[in-house]
Structures are given as C-alpha cells and as structure tokens.
C-alpha cells in the first residue's frame, strides 16, 4: 500500500478587506455630527470645570488671600523657659 505524501504548507495570499463599512457609517452619522461634536465639547468643558473646581480653585483662593491681606502676616515667637532648682545640703562632719 502506498502512503500519500504528507501535506505541505502552501503560502496563502491574504488580500485586505474592502473598507466600505467605515464610509457607510460615516455617511449615516453625518446628520448627527453637530450634535456629537457639541456633546464632546460639553464633556470636555465639564472635565476642565471639575479639574478647576477640585484642584486649581483652592490654590487660586490661597494665592488671592495672600495678595489681599499682606499686612496680616503671621509671626513666630520662640519662648524659652528654663527652670533652675537649687538645694542646700548640709552634712555633719
């Protein structure tokens, strides 16, 4: 009995797919693009406002307070306290 030849790997040329889906989706969404852009801008502005409210506003308030009230600067006073204890000891000789 004769055995068949082992299978041989043959190169296969893969052709790229046609990109008809993306232009079709783009054409379908074209009437909604102004609304989509507006929503994206609204989300971006909300992110910037949230960042400003959370991080930048406290720093700006602190800077404004330091500029508005320069005469009320805090002073640090160092107070040293020493306690001296003297005892008189008398010894019988």
């Amino acid at each position: 009995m004769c055995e068949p030849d082992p299978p041989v790997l043959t190169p296969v040329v893969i052709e790229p797919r046609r990109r008809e889906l993306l232009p079709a989706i783009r054409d379908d969404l074209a009437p909604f693009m102004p609304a989509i852009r507006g929503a994206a801008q609204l989300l971006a502005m909300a992110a910037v406002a949230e960042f400003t409210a959370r991080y930048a506003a406290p720093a700006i308030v602190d800077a404004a307070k330091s500029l508005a009230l320069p005469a009320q600067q805090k002073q640090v006073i160092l107070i040293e306290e020493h306690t001296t204890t003297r005892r008189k000891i008398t010894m019988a000789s």
Side-chain angles (χ1 to χ4, degrees), residues 9 14 41 49-50 61 64 66 70 77 85 87 89-90:
L9 296 175
I14 299 175
Q41 288 175 348
E50 192 268 337
V61 168
S66 67
I77 300 173
T85 306
R87 292 186 183 156
I89 300 175
T90 307

Side-chain angles (χ1 to χ4, degrees), residues 61-83:
V61 168
D62 291 342
K65 283 182 181 178
S66 67
L67 290 175
L69 304 173
Q72 296 180 356
Q73 295 179 356
K74 294 181 181 179
Q75 293 182 352
V76 177
I77 300 173
L78 178 63
I79 299 174
E80 293 185 18
E81 183 177 331
H82 297 280
T83 305

Side-chain angles (χ1 to χ4, degrees), residues 17-41:
R17 293 184 189 178
R18 295 178 1 191
R19 295 189 169 194
E20 294 178 0
L21 183 62
L22 188 60
I25 292 174
R26 188 177 295 140
D27 291 341
D28 289 343
L29 292 179
F32 303 107
M33 285 309 290
I36 292 172
R37 282 192 188 109
Q41 288 175 348

